[in-house]
Amino acid sequence: MNEARPLRRRTVLSVLTAASLGGLAGCLGGADDSAPDASENESTTFRVGTQWNPDSLDPLVKGWVFRKLSVIEPLVITDYDASVAPGLATDWSATDESRQWEFTLRDDVTFHDGTPLSAALAVESLRRSFASTSLAGLPVESVSAADDRTVRIRTERPFAPLPAHLTRAETSIVSSESYDDDGAVTELIGTGPFRFDSWEPGERITAVAFESYHGTVPSIDELVYERVADEQTRLLKLENGELDMARQLSTETTPGLEAHDHLTAYEYEVPRTRYLVFDTTSTPFGDREVRRAAMYALDRAGIVESVLNGGGPAAVGPYPPELTEWANEDLEPYAYDPEKARELLEAAGWKATESGRVRDGEPLEIELWTYDAWSLPIVAQVVQEQLSAVGFDVSLRQLAYSTIRERANRDSFDAVLWSNSLLWYPDPDRLADFVHSTEATMFSGYENERVDRLLEAARTTTHRAERKRRYDEVQAIAQRDVPIGWVTHVTNVVGTSADVEGYRPLPTETCYHLEDVTHQSRA
């Protein structure tokens, strides 16, 4: 897996993006370029700004936040190459055709309240996790302690992806003292290098270094995770020394970051993809050839270069092959071919007129929905233009993320431009969320018995090559049927103060690993 690469100078943005981004670049470029005098601040507080809202202490609700901050730890973790690596468990094995799994715990782990970690306490935490709605789809039959150091998990059927699912933050081992008698979280007690300290709902989380951590104790004394929803504000706070790290920046911010000597930027590809979800149950995208026409109409490489400032790359399938071997590298891409798109629409009965296309007197009108994250609104504008060029009449609507999900799951729609991580647990079993007819959480309405059988069969064997063959076929069928049209992958940018050392971005972004960071001016 690629590591973060040095930033490079970018070409001038397209006319389309220049107007919307000019204010941002100007704001960064026009500010005082002198670095704040960090030596005046002797504190070892490290402030991180993100757009995400820390609105719950419960690890089953916002465990991903506390996992990113290294407050909580699961049995196994995701490594830098997107493989499953030891976490609180040093090793694991499966018997009975991958139905019975045993995980051996580290012997030097204590919770933040000083209680030693035991298999019994881990089992108690895991039982709460598996009883939650977020993990309800996992076929876990029982969780028990084989001895004081061994956790045994038995599944209802052979289930090869279990270790990958155990990297999910919801499975992190948390002390039962974290909850009151009603099950409400009162103080989050984990095992990570940072210990939970305080929380201002919706605003910030504060954690402090855990001196008895079983690994390297952080050099940062205090860690503040702050919600700064607006990207421009995050950048200004970083520039002014109010933040030490600004996360989830777009590649459009690169020129502004490069202009400041007292800032460092990390640019890296992540296994996140921007994609179109088509409603396969209604007109016009109920017709596969119309979906294929839409894909031929898109200049994905052009979007990357002109809109995303080179950050992408253009997507062929769900996975960027540079980041994971689970990508099917033999997928046939949808080339940018507007004439092919027009031919498919004509063959599907959508005849060209002076103002667009009609079939049986009905115009080819669609609504394209999206939400404000990961540069989706500006990408949606280009998608609108390119679909319009082959005859679609496209109305663009920006809605709240939750509104889209609610409406698309309830009613028919046309198409949604969405973004998601395809490896937030490191296994292609994640594809079931997209294309399984009954398990998918995406809302295309796609049904394909062969795809269902392949996904289900791939779970039953630990033979990696056999699993890869099945997931490759799933990707190929989905590429042909296009319930979801992959548009671009995502390049993320993180900005830090220049005197921050030791930061190494984890491509899956499941953990920031700030326990490895040193703030040189405050060391």
Side-chain angles (χ1 to χ4, degrees):
M1 179 171 288
N2 294 340
E3 296 183 8
R5 62 179 186 271
L7 288 177
R8 58 188 183 278
R9 292 288 179 185
R10 298 292 190 184
T11 56
V12 178
L13 301 183
S14 71
V15 174
L16 179 63
T17 60
S20 60
L21 298 173
L24 175 59
C27 186
L28 280 168
D32 182 359
D33 197 32
S34 61
D37 186 2
S39 62
E40 296 177 357
N41 184 356
E42 297 180 354
S43 170
T44 55
T45 296
F46 191 90
R47 294 179 173 82
V48 180
T50 81
Q51 79 167 38
W52 305 116
N53 185 354
D55 58 1
S56 175
L57 268 185
D58 194 328
L60 299 182
V61 178
K62 282 295 170 74
W64 56 270
V65 174
F66 296 101
R67 176 68 195 124
K68 286 178 185 292
L69 297 180
S70 298
V71 171
I72 56 178
E73 299 175 305
L75 292 182
V76 289
I77 65 174
T78 305
D79 212 341
Y80 283 85
D81 62 355
S83 65
V84 178
L88 290 178
T90 55
D91 55 79
W92 55 95
S93 60
T95 57
D96 191 15
E97 298 181 330
S98 302
R99 286 193 61 199
Q100 183 151 297
W101 297 78
E102 291 191 347
F103 296 82
T104 304
L105 297 180
R106 295 183 186 276
D107 58 8
D108 56 349
V109 178
T110 60
F111 287 102
H112 294 152
D113 64 358
T115 304
L117 174 66
S118 66
L121 294 176
V123 166
E124 187 174 6
S125 178
L126 286 169
R127 284 176 175 167
R128 183 178 189 269
S129 298
F130 292 131
S132 69
T133 55
S134 60
L135 298 176
L138 301 185
V140 173
E141 180 180 279
S142 64
V143 185
S144 61
D147 55 44
D148 188 54
R149 311 306 309 161
T150 307
V151 173
R152 178 177 291 160
I153 301 176
R154 187 168 179 79
T155 55
E156 297 166 353
R157 53 185 180 274
F159 192 63
L162 181 67
H165 281 281
L166 289 175
T167 67
R168 294 166 63 174
E170 299 97 321
T171 70
S172 295
I173 306 303
V174 177
S175 168
S176 59
E177 297 301 315
S178 301
Y179 315 102
D180 62 19
D181 292 341
D182 296 326
V185 179
T186 56
E187 181 182 5
L188 188 55
I189 303 173
T191 61
F194 289 100
R195 174 173 57 83
F196 171 76
D197 182 64
S198 63
W199 171 52
E200 295 179 43
E203 298 295 329
R204 62 181 54 82
I205 295 168
T206 301
V208 296
F210 179 42
E211 298 295 336
S212 299
Y213 183 58
H214 57 84
T216 302
V217 176
S219 65
I220 297 169
D221 292 329
E222 183 184 57
L223 177 60
V224 178
Y225 175 93
E226 179 180 353
R227 183 190 186 221
V228 185
D230 179 67
E231 181 183 65
Q232 182 174 332
T233 305
R234 290 200 298 279
L235 286 164
L236 289 173
K237 280 178 168 278
L238 176 67
E239 179 187 342
N240 296 332
E242 298 173 64
L243 292 175
D244 301 292
M245 172 179 284
R247 300 197 62 88
Q248 200 188 342
L249 304 177
S250 60
T251 50
E252 294 87 350
T253 65
T254 296
L257 288 166
E258 288 181 313
H260 296 272
D261 292 337
H262 68 285
L263 301 180
T264 298
Y266 298 83
E267 181 181 286
Y268 53 102
E269 294 176 19
V270 296
R272 170 177 285 273
T273 305
R274 299 181 185 89
Y275 53 87
L276 288 165
V277 185
F278 298 109
D279 187 344
T280 64
T281 66
S282 65
T283 303
F285 292 120
D287 185 334
R288 185 180 72 181
E289 297 311 299
V290 176
R291 303 195 295 272
R292 290 168 58 83
M295 294 305 296
Y296 281 116
L298 296 183
D299 181 6
R300 299 188 305 284
I303 291 173
V304 168
E305 290 306 317
S306 64
V307 178
L308 300 174
N309 206 26
V316 175
Y319 298 114
E322 299 83 3
L323 298 183
T324 175
E325 63 183 22
W326 291 114
N328 180 350
E329 297 191 59
D330 295 326
L331 291 181
E332 186 69 27
Y334 284 92
Y336 175 47
D337 191 343
E339 283 307 311
K340 177 73 171 178
R342 294 185 182 98
E343 291 172 6
L344 288 171
L345 291 174
E346 288 286 332
W350 294 100
K351 304 302 181 185
T353 68
E354 292 184 357
S355 58
R357 291 183 180 274
V358 297
R359 187 177 70 180
D360 300 329
E362 295 295 323
L364 185 55
E365 294 177 340
I366 66 166
E367 279 196 348
L368 174 61
W369 299 348
T370 196
Y371 58 98
D372 187 11
W374 302 103
S375 302
L376 291 175
I378 198 165
V379 173
Q381 290 181 42
V382 181
V383 171
Q384 179 188 36
E385 291 179 1
Q386 295 181 348
L387 292 182
S388 298
V390 298
F392 288 90
D393 182 355
V394 185
S395 298
L396 184 61
R397 296 192 66 185
Q398 183 173 313
L399 303 169
Y401 174 97
S402 57
T403 301
I404 294 176
R405 183 172 286 282
E406 178 185 353
R407 291 183 58 178
N409 278 310
R410 184 189 63 205
D411 304 322
S412 62
F413 63 99
D414 296 320
V416 176
L417 183 63
W418 199 267
S419 177
N420 226 321
S421 171
L422 275 295
L423 280 178
W424 59 273
Y425 58 86
D427 192 279
D429 190 45
R430 173 83 164 122
L431 288 171
D433 284 339
F434 293 83
V435 292
H436 192 284
S437 62
T438 60
E439 298 177 16
T441 55
M442 273 295 132
F443 26 73
S444 71
Y446 179 62
E447 294 185 7
N448 185 303
E449 290 184 6
R450 175 67 178 168
V451 167
D452 290 353
R453 287 198 299 271
L454 287 166
L455 288 170
E456 291 158 10
R459 294 169 174 162
T460 65
T461 176
T462 55
H463 192 276
R464 193 174 180 86
E466 182 61 22
R467 298 191 74 215
K468 177 73 164 58
R469 184 188 65 77
R470 287 170 172 152
Y471 288 120
D472 279 355
E473 185 176 347
V474 168
Q475 293 174 66
I477 294 173
Q479 186 78 349
R480 179 198 66 197
D481 291 349
V482 213
I484 292 174
W486 312 108
V487 180
T488 78
H489 298 301
V490 172
T491 293
N492 193 22
V493 177
V494 171
T496 72
S497 302
D499 55 0
V500 171
E501 295 186 356
Y503 177 59
R504 182 185 176 196
L506 181 67
T508 56
E509 300 198 303
T510 50
C511 185
Y512 297 158
H513 286 303
L514 298 180
E515 63 272 21
D516 299 327
V517 165
T518 300
H519 206 308
Q520 288 301 310
S521 66
R522 303 174 191 173

